[in-house]
PDB file of all heavy atoms in Angstrom:
ATOM      1  N   GLY M   1      -6.622  -4.886  65.708  1.00 98.00           N
ATOM      2  CA  GLY M   1      -5.653  -4.920  64.629  1.00 98.00           C
ATOM      3  C   GLY M   1      -6.006  -5.850  63.500  1.00 98.00           C
ATOM      4  O   GLY M   1      -5.384  -5.813  62.436  1.00 98.00           O
ATOM      5  N   GLY M   2      -7.027  -6.668  63.720  1.00 98.00           N
ATOM      6  CA  GLY M   2      -7.437  -7.618  62.699  1.00 98.00           C
ATOM      7  C   GLY M   2      -8.314  -6.990  61.633  1.00 98.00           C
ATOM      8  O   GLY M   2      -8.561  -5.773  61.631  1.00 98.00           O
ATOM      9  N   SER M   3      -8.793  -7.837  60.713  1.00 98.00           N
ATOM     10  CA  SER M   3      -9.596  -7.368  59.576  1.00 98.00           C
ATOM     11  C   SER M   3     -10.817  -8.270  59.380  1.00 98.00           C
ATOM     12  O   SER M   3     -10.801  -9.455  59.755  1.00 98.00           O
ATOM     13  CB  SER M   3      -8.766  -7.390  58.292  1.00 98.00           C
ATOM     14  OG  SER M   3      -7.631  -6.567  58.406  1.00 98.00           O
ATOM     15  N   LEU M   4     -11.836  -7.700  58.794  1.00 97.00           N
ATOM     16  CA  LEU M   4     -13.029  -8.449  58.420  1.00 97.00           C
ATOM     17  C   LEU M   4     -13.574  -7.875  57.123  1.00 97.00           C
ATOM     18  O   LEU M   4     -13.389  -6.674  56.847  1.00 97.00           O
ATOM     19  CB  LEU M   4     -14.125  -8.345  59.483  1.00 97.00           C
ATOM     20  CG  LEU M   4     -13.987  -9.142  60.771  1.00 97.00           C
ATOM     21  CD1 LEU M   4     -15.106  -8.753  61.729  1.00 97.00           C
ATOM     22  CD2 LEU M   4     -14.036 -10.636  60.479  1.00 97.00           C
ATOM     23  N   ARG M   5     -14.279  -8.689  56.353  1.00 98.00           N
ATOM     24  CA  ARG M   5     -15.004  -8.185  55.208  1.00 98.00           C
ATOM     25  C   ARG M   5     -16.473  -8.565  55.379  1.00 98.00           C
ATOM     26  O   ARG M   5     -16.800  -9.764  55.424  1.00 98.00           O
ATOM     27  CB  ARG M   5     -14.491  -8.732  53.883  1.00 98.00           C
ATOM     28  CG  ARG M   5     -15.142  -8.013  52.690  1.00 98.00           C
ATOM     29  CD  ARG M   5     -14.580  -8.423  51.353  1.00 98.00           C
ATOM     30  NE  ARG M   5     -15.133  -9.687  50.899  1.00 98.00           N
ATOM     31  CZ  ARG M   5     -15.190 -10.052  49.615  1.00 98.00           C
ATOM     32  NH1 ARG M   5     -14.735  -9.229  48.679  1.00 98.00           N
ATOM     33  NH2 ARG M   5     -15.673 -11.233  49.286  1.00 98.00           N
ATOM     34  N   LEU M   6     -17.303  -7.552  55.489  1.00 98.00           N
ATOM     35  CA  LEU M   6     -18.743  -7.758  55.632  1.00 98.00           C
ATOM     36  C   LEU M   6     -19.387  -7.713  54.263  1.00 98.00           C
ATOM     37  O   LEU M   6     -18.981  -6.941  53.388  1.00 98.00           O
ATOM     38  CB  LEU M   6     -19.336  -6.667  56.521  1.00 98.00           C
ATOM     39  CG  LEU M   6     -18.646  -6.439  57.869  1.00 98.00           C
ATOM     40  CD1 LEU M   6     -19.376  -5.346  58.655  1.00 98.00           C
ATOM     41  CD2 LEU M   6     -18.573  -7.721  58.666  1.00 98.00           C
ATOM     42  N   SER M   7     -20.419  -8.545  54.092  1.00 98.00           N
ATOM     43  CA  SER M   7     -21.154  -8.593  52.831  1.00 98.00           C
ATOM     44  C   SER M   7     -22.612  -8.263  53.059  1.00 98.00           C
ATOM     45  O   SER M   7     -23.163  -8.554  54.110  1.00 98.00           O
ATOM     46  CB  SER M   7     -21.060 -10.000  52.211  1.00 98.00           C
ATOM     47  OG  SER M   7     -19.722 -10.358  51.951  1.00 98.00           O
ATOM     48  N   CYS M   8     -23.209  -7.652  52.053  1.00 97.00           N
ATOM     49  CA  CYS M   8     -24.646  -7.346  52.068  1.00 97.00           C
ATOM     50  C   CYS M   8     -25.210  -7.752  50.726  1.00 97.00           C
ATOM     51  O   CYS M   8     -24.953  -7.090  49.714  1.00 97.00           O
ATOM     52  CB  CYS M   8     -24.864  -5.863  52.334  1.00 97.00           C
ATOM     53  SG  CYS M   8     -26.586  -5.344  52.277  1.00 97.00           S
ATOM     54  N   ALA M   9     -25.950  -8.840  50.712  1.00 96.00           N
ATOM     55  CA  ALA M   9     -26.496  -9.383  49.473  1.00 96.00           C
ATOM     56  C   ALA M   9     -27.972  -9.061  49.344  1.00 96.00           C
ATOM     57  O   ALA M   9     -28.757  -9.306  50.270  1.00 96.00           O
ATOM     58  CB  ALA M   9     -26.289 -10.892  49.429  1.00 96.00           C
ATOM     59  N   ALA M  10     -28.345  -8.505  48.197  1.00 94.00           N
ATOM     60  CA  ALA M  10     -29.747  -8.188  47.926  1.00 94.00           C
ATOM     61  C   ALA M  10     -30.377  -9.294  47.095  1.00 94.00           C
ATOM     62  O   ALA M  10     -29.730  -9.826  46.174  1.00 94.00           O
ATOM     63  CB  ALA M  10     -29.850  -6.861  47.182  1.00 94.00           C
ATOM     64  N   SER M  11     -31.594  -9.634  47.410  1.00 93.00           N
ATOM     65  CA  SER M  11     -32.338 -10.601  46.595  1.00 93.00           C
ATOM     66  C   SER M  11     -33.734 -10.048  46.343  1.00 93.00           C
ATOM     67  O   SER M  11     -34.323  -9.403  47.197  1.00 93.00           O
ATOM     68  CB  SER M  11     -32.413 -11.959  47.297  1.00 93.00           C
ATOM     69  OG  SER M  11     -33.071 -11.843  48.548  1.00 93.00           O
ATOM     70  N   GLY M  12     -34.231 -10.287  45.151  1.00 90.00           N
ATOM     71  CA  GLY M  12     -35.572  -9.824  44.795  1.00 90.00           C
ATOM     72  C   GLY M  12     -35.608  -8.439  44.190  1.00 90.00           C
ATOM     73  O   GLY M  12     -36.663  -7.991  43.748  1.00 90.00           O
ATOM     74  N   PHE M  13     -34.471  -7.763  44.174  1.00 89.00           N
ATOM     75  CA  PHE M  13     -34.369  -6.441  43.544  1.00 89.00           C
ATOM     76  C   PHE M  13     -32.903  -6.141  43.276  1.00 89.00           C
ATOM     77  O   PHE M  13     -32.017  -6.767  43.849  1.00 89.00           O
ATOM     78  CB  PHE M  13     -34.977  -5.353  44.439  1.00 89.00           C
ATOM     79  CG  PHE M  13     -34.267  -5.157  45.749  1.00 89.00           C
ATOM     80  CD1 PHE M  13     -33.305  -4.158  45.885  1.00 89.00           C
ATOM     81  CD2 PHE M  13     -34.532  -5.956  46.850  1.00 89.00           C
ATOM     82  CE1 PHE M  13     -32.630  -3.965  47.079  1.00 89.00           C
ATOM     83  CE2 PHE M  13     -33.867  -5.771  48.050  1.00 89.00           C
ATOM     84  CZ  PHE M  13     -32.915  -4.779  48.165  1.00 89.00           C
ATOM     85  N   SER M  14     -32.656  -5.165  42.393  1.00 89.00           N
ATOM     86  CA  SER M  14     -31.280  -4.771  42.086  1.00 89.00           C
ATOM     87  C   SER M  14     -30.788  -3.785  43.128  1.00 89.00           C
ATOM     88  O   SER M  14     -31.495  -2.841  43.492  1.00 89.00           O
ATOM     89  CB  SER M  14     -31.208  -4.136  40.696  1.00 89.00           C
ATOM     90  OG  SER M  14     -31.541  -5.083  39.710  1.00 89.00           O
ATOM     91  N   LEU M  15     -29.570  -4.016  43.583  1.00 89.00           N
ATOM     92  CA  LEU M  15     -29.007  -3.169  44.619  1.00 89.00           C
ATOM     93  C   LEU M  15     -28.768  -1.752  44.084  1.00 89.00           C
ATOM     94  O   LEU M  15     -28.126  -1.582  43.049  1.00 89.00           O
ATOM     95  CB  LEU M  15     -27.685  -3.779  45.095  1.00 89.00           C
ATOM     96  CG  LEU M  15     -27.090  -3.254  46.386  1.00 89.00           C
ATOM     97  CD1 LEU M  15     -28.003  -3.507  47.557  1.00 89.00           C
ATOM     98  CD2 LEU M  15     -25.728  -3.898  46.627  1.00 89.00           C
ATOM     99  N   ASN M  16     -29.299  -0.766  44.783  1.00 92.00           N
ATOM    100  CA  ASN M  16     -29.060   0.630  44.416  1.00 92.00           C
ATOM    101  C   ASN M  16     -27.941   1.199  45.289  1.00 92.00           C
ATOM    102  O   ASN M  16     -27.038   0.469  45.687  1.00 92.00           O
ATOM    103  CB  ASN M  16     -30.358   1.420  44.584  1.00 92.00           C
ATOM    104  CG  ASN M  16     -31.415   0.995  43.585  1.00 92.00           C
ATOM    105  OD1 ASN M  16     -31.113   0.753  42.414  1.00 92.00           O
ATOM    106  ND2 ASN M  16     -32.647   0.880  44.037  1.00 92.00           N
ATOM    107  N   ALA M  17     -27.989   2.477  45.582  1.00 95.00           N
ATOM    108  CA  ALA M  17     -27.051   3.035  46.551  1.00 95.00           C
ATOM    109  C   ALA M  17     -27.241   2.319  47.876  1.00 95.00           C
ATOM    110  O   ALA M  17     -28.370   1.950  48.239  1.00 95.00           O
ATOM    111  CB  ALA M  17     -27.302   4.528  46.720  1.00 95.00           C
ATOM    112  N   MET M  18     -26.164   2.101  48.574  1.00 95.00           N
ATOM    113  CA  MET M  18     -26.244   1.297  49.789  1.00 95.00           C
ATOM    114  C   MET M  18     -25.441   1.954  50.900  1.00 95.00           C
ATOM    115  O   MET M  18     -24.410   2.575  50.645  1.00 95.00           O
ATOM    116  CB  MET M  18     -25.716  -0.106  49.506  1.00 95.00           C
ATOM    117  CG  MET M  18     -26.311  -1.184  50.380  1.00 95.00           C
ATOM    118  SD  MET M  18     -25.519  -1.203  51.971  1.00 95.00           S
ATOM    119  CE  MET M  18     -23.903  -1.762  51.508  1.00 95.00           C
ATOM    120  N   VAL M  19     -25.909   1.790  52.123  1.00 97.00           N
ATOM    121  CA  VAL M  19     -25.302   2.430  53.289  1.00 97.00           C
ATOM    122  C   VAL M  19     -25.042   1.379  54.356  1.00 97.00           C
ATOM    123  O   VAL M  19     -25.871   0.487  54.569  1.00 97.00           O
ATOM    124  CB  VAL M  19     -26.225   3.520  53.858  1.00 97.00           C
ATOM    125  CG1 VAL M  19     -25.545   4.224  55.022  1.00 97.00           C
ATOM    126  CG2 VAL M  19     -26.583   4.535  52.784  1.00 97.00           C
ATOM    127  N   TRP M  20     -23.891   1.493  55.017  1.00 97.00           N
ATOM    128  CA  TRP M  20     -23.583   0.653  56.177  1.00 97.00           C
ATOM    129  C   TRP M  20     -23.672   1.499  57.443  1.00 97.00           C
ATOM    130  O   TRP M  20     -23.172   2.627  57.487  1.00 97.00           O
ATOM    131  CB  TRP M  20     -22.163   0.086  56.085  1.00 97.00           C
ATOM    132  CG  TRP M  20     -21.999  -1.053  55.144  1.00 97.00           C
ATOM    133  CD1 TRP M  20     -21.549  -1.015  53.856  1.00 97.00           C
ATOM    134  CD2 TRP M  20     -22.252  -2.437  55.419  1.00 97.00           C
ATOM    135  NE1 TRP M  20     -21.517  -2.278  53.311  1.00 97.00           N
ATOM    136  CE2 TRP M  20     -21.933  -3.169  54.264  1.00 97.00           C
ATOM    137  CE3 TRP M  20     -22.709  -3.136  56.547  1.00 97.00           C
ATOM    138  CZ2 TRP M  20     -22.066  -4.555  54.176  1.00 97.00           C
ATOM    139  CZ3 TRP M  20     -22.831  -4.509  56.467  1.00 97.00           C
ATOM    140  CH2 TRP M  20     -22.515  -5.201  55.291  1.00 97.00           C
ATOM    141  N   TYR M  21     -24.294   0.915  58.471  1.00 98.00           N
ATOM    142  CA  TYR M  21     -24.387   1.536  59.782  1.00 98.00           C
ATOM    143  C   TYR M  21     -23.761   0.616  60.826  1.00 98.00           C
ATOM    144  O   TYR M  21     -23.757  -0.600  60.675  1.00 98.00           O
ATOM    145  CB  TYR M  21     -25.852   1.752  60.194  1.00 98.00           C
ATOM    146  CG  TYR M  21     -26.579   2.832  59.437  1.00 98.00           C
ATOM    147  CD1 TYR M  21     -27.120   2.588  58.174  1.00 98.00           C
ATOM    148  CD2 TYR M  21     -26.748   4.092  59.992  1.00 98.00           C
ATOM    149  CE1 TYR M  21     -27.798   3.575  57.489  1.00 98.00           C
ATOM    150  CE2 TYR M  21     -27.431   5.091  59.308  1.00 98.00           C
ATOM    151  CZ  TYR M  21     -27.954   4.814  58.065  1.00 98.00           C
ATOM    152  OH  TYR M  21     -28.640   5.800  57.388  1.00 98.00           O
ATOM    153  N   LEU M  22     -23.283   1.230  61.903  1.00 98.00           N
ATOM    154  CA  LEU M  22     -22.828   0.488  63.075  1.00 98.00           C
ATOM    155  C   LEU M  22     -23.704   0.879  64.263  1.00 98.00           C
ATOM    156  O   LEU M  22     -23.905   2.065  64.527  1.00 98.00           O
ATOM    157  CB  LEU M  22     -21.378   0.824  63.408  1.00 98.00           C
ATOM    158  CG  LEU M  22     -20.879   0.423  64.803  1.00 98.00           C
ATOM    159  CD1 LEU M  22     -20.937  -1.095  64.979  1.00 98.00           C
ATOM    160  CD2 LEU M  22     -19.482   0.947  65.048  1.00 98.00           C
ATOM    161  N   GLN M  23     -24.217  -0.134  64.938  1.00 98.00           N
ATOM    162  CA  GLN M  23     -24.886   0.109  66.211  1.00 98.00           C
ATOM    163  C   GLN M  23     -24.034  -0.487  67.305  1.00 98.00           C
ATOM    164  O   GLN M  23     -24.024  -1.721  67.516  1.00 98.00           O
ATOM    165  CB  GLN M  23     -26.295  -0.482  66.243  1.00 98.00           C
ATOM    166  CG  GLN M  23     -27.060  -0.105  67.496  1.00 98.00           C
ATOM    167  CD  GLN M  23     -28.548  -0.274  67.367  1.00 98.00           C
ATOM    168  OE1 GLN M  23     -29.048  -0.999  66.499  1.00 98.00           O
ATOM    169  NE2 GLN M  23     -29.302   0.396  68.222  1.00 98.00           N
ATOM    170  N   ALA M  24     -23.280   0.362  67.978  1.00 97.00           N
ATOM    171  CA  ALA M  24     -22.440  -0.091  69.075  1.00 97.00           C
ATOM    172  C   ALA M  24     -23.316  -0.360  70.299  1.00 97.00           C
ATOM    173  O   ALA M  24     -24.423   0.183  70.409  1.00 97.00           O
ATOM    174  CB  ALA M  24     -21.387   0.956  69.386  1.00 97.00           C
ATOM    175  N   PRO M  25     -22.842  -1.187  71.216  1.00 96.00           N
ATOM    176  CA  PRO M  25     -23.648  -1.506  72.409  1.00 96.00           C
ATOM    177  C   PRO M  25     -24.086  -0.250  73.156  1.00 96.00           C
ATOM    178  O   PRO M  25     -23.258   0.592  73.491  1.00 96.00           O
ATOM    179  CB  PRO M  25     -22.690  -2.355  73.241  1.00 96.00           C
ATOM    180  CG  PRO M  25     -21.774  -2.972  72.252  1.00 96.00           C
ATOM    181  CD  PRO M  25     -21.585  -1.942  71.184  1.00 96.00           C
ATOM    182  N   GLY M  26     -25.401  -0.133  73.393  1.00 96.00           N
ATOM    183  CA  GLY M  26     -25.927   0.993  74.136  1.00 96.00           C
ATOM    184  C   GLY M  26     -25.999   2.295  73.373  1.00 96.00           C
ATOM    185  O   GLY M  26     -26.326   3.332  73.963  1.00 96.00           O
ATOM    186  N   LYS M  27     -25.726   2.274  72.074  1.00 97.00           N
ATOM    187  CA  LYS M  27     -25.729   3.506  71.280  1.00 97.00           C
ATOM    188  C   LYS M  27     -26.676   3.399  70.100  1.00 97.00           C
ATOM    189  O   LYS M  27     -27.117   2.314  69.744  1.00 97.00           O
ATOM    190  CB  LYS M  27     -24.304   3.800  70.784  1.00 97.00           C
ATOM    191  CG  LYS M  27     -23.303   4.079  71.886  1.00 97.00           C
ATOM    192  CD  LYS M  27     -21.969   4.479  71.314  1.00 97.00           C
ATOM    193  CE  LYS M  27     -20.978   4.813  72.403  1.00 97.00           C
ATOM    194  NZ  LYS M  27     -19.649   5.246  71.833  1.00 97.00           N
ATOM    195  N   GLN M  28     -26.968   4.534  69.501  1.00 97.00           N
ATOM    196  CA  GLN M  28     -27.809   4.545  68.314  1.00 97.00           C
ATOM    197  C   GLN M  28     -26.996   4.133  67.095  1.00 97.00           C
ATOM    198  O   GLN M  28     -25.763   4.177  67.091  1.00 97.00           O
ATOM    199  CB  GLN M  28     -28.379   5.949  68.091  1.00 97.00           C
ATOM    200  CG  GLN M  28     -29.373   6.376  69.165  1.00 97.00           C
ATOM    201  CD  GLN M  28     -30.007   7.711  68.845  1.00 97.00           C
ATOM    202  OE1 GLN M  28     -29.414   8.539  68.171  1.00 97.00           O
ATOM    203  NE2 GLN M  28     -31.223   7.929  69.336  1.00 97.00           N
ATOM    204  N   ARG M  29     -27.692   3.754  66.052  1.00 97.00           N
ATOM    205  CA  ARG M  29     -27.019   3.410  64.813  1.00 97.00           C
ATOM    206  C   ARG M  29     -26.355   4.650  64.228  1.00 97.00           C
ATOM    207  O   ARG M  29     -26.954   5.719  64.174  1.00 97.00           O
ATOM    208  CB  ARG M  29     -28.010   2.843  63.793  1.00 97.00           C
ATOM    209  CG  ARG M  29     -28.538   1.487  64.168  1.00 97.00           C
ATOM    210  CD  ARG M  29     -29.458   0.914  63.116  1.00 97.00           C
ATOM    211  NE  ARG M  29     -30.160  -0.247  63.645  1.00 97.00           N
ATOM    212  CZ  ARG M  29     -30.980  -1.018  62.957  1.00 97.00           C
ATOM    213  NH1 ARG M  29     -31.221  -0.746  61.683  1.00 97.00           N
ATOM    214  NH2 ARG M  29     -31.570  -2.034  63.531  1.00 97.00           N
ATOM    215  N   GLU M  30     -25.125   4.471  63.776  1.00 96.00           N
ATOM    216  CA  GLU M  30     -24.384   5.560  63.178  1.00 96.00           C
ATOM    217  C   GLU M  30     -23.909   5.156  61.789  1.00 96.00           C
ATOM    218  O   GLU M  30     -23.494   4.014  61.565  1.00 96.00           O
ATOM    219  CB  GLU M  30     -23.175   5.934  64.044  1.00 96.00           C
ATOM    220  CG  GLU M  30     -23.539   6.524  65.391  1.00 96.00           C
ATOM    221  CD  GLU M  30     -22.327   6.967  66.165  1.00 96.00           C
ATOM    222  OE1 GLU M  30     -21.209   6.561  65.803  1.00 96.00           O
ATOM    223  OE2 GLU M  30     -22.481   7.717  67.147  1.00 96.00           O
ATOM    224  N   LEU M  31     -23.953   6.118  60.883  1.00 97.00           N
ATOM    225  CA  LEU M  31     -23.503   5.881  59.531  1.00 97.00           C
ATOM    226  C   LEU M  31     -21.997   5.635  59.524  1.00 97.00           C
ATOM    227  O   LEU M  31     -21.241   6.353  60.190  1.00 97.00           O
ATOM    228  CB  LEU M  31     -23.843   7.090  58.654  1.00 97.00           C
ATOM    229  CG  LEU M  31     -23.460   7.034  57.190  1.00 97.00           C
ATOM    230  CD1 LEU M  31     -24.213   5.932  56.494  1.00 97.00           C
ATOM    231  CD2 LEU M  31     -23.736   8.373  56.536  1.00 97.00           C
ATOM    232  N   VAL M  32     -21.578   4.630  58.777  1.00 97.00           N
ATOM    233  CA  VAL M  32     -20.158   4.283  58.688  1.00 97.00           C
ATOM    234  C   VAL M  32     -19.618   4.547  57.289  1.00 97.00           C
ATOM    235  O   VAL M  32     -18.554   5.137  57.116  1.00 97.00           O
ATOM    236  CB  VAL M  32     -19.944   2.799  59.062  1.00 97.00           C
ATOM    237  CG1 VAL M  32     -18.504   2.381  58.823  1.00 97.00           C
ATOM    238  CG2 VAL M  32     -20.338   2.547  60.504  1.00 97.00           C
ATOM    239  N   ALA M  33     -20.364   4.089  56.298  1.00 97.00           N
ATOM    240  CA  ALA M  33     -19.906   4.221  54.916  1.00 97.00           C
ATOM    241  C   ALA M  33     -21.088   4.093  53.983  1.00 97.00           C
ATOM    242  O   ALA M  33     -22.129   3.529  54.351  1.00 97.00           O
ATOM    243  CB  ALA M  33     -18.857   3.157  54.588  1.00 97.00           C
ATOM    244  N   ALA M  34     -20.914   4.604  52.771  1.00 98.00           N
ATOM    245  CA  ALA M  34     -21.973   4.527  51.769  1.00 98.00           C
ATOM    246  C   ALA M  34     -21.344   4.359  50.396  1.00 98.00           C
ATOM    247  O   ALA M  34     -20.178   4.741  50.183  1.00 98.00           O
ATOM    248  CB  ALA M  34     -22.834   5.780  51.802  1.00 98.00           C
TER     249      ALA M  34
END
């Protein structure tokens, strides 16, 4: 029920389109948002 805000900071280049993945325990990475 809680909340979190994750950040992804780019350095050395300008951030283009970006994708977030979740890798749950024992599972492959899955696309979450873009």
Side-chain angles (χ1 to χ4, degrees):
S3 300
L4 284 174
R5 188 175 80 156
L6 309 181
S7 300
C8 176
S11 60
F13 64 96
S14 295
L15 194 62
N16 293 319
M18 208 280 292
V19 183
W20 283 97
Y21 289 81
L22 164 63
Q23 186 161 20
K27 296 185 178 181
Q28 293 185 332
R29 291 183 192 184
E30 294 184 345
L31 180 64
V32 174

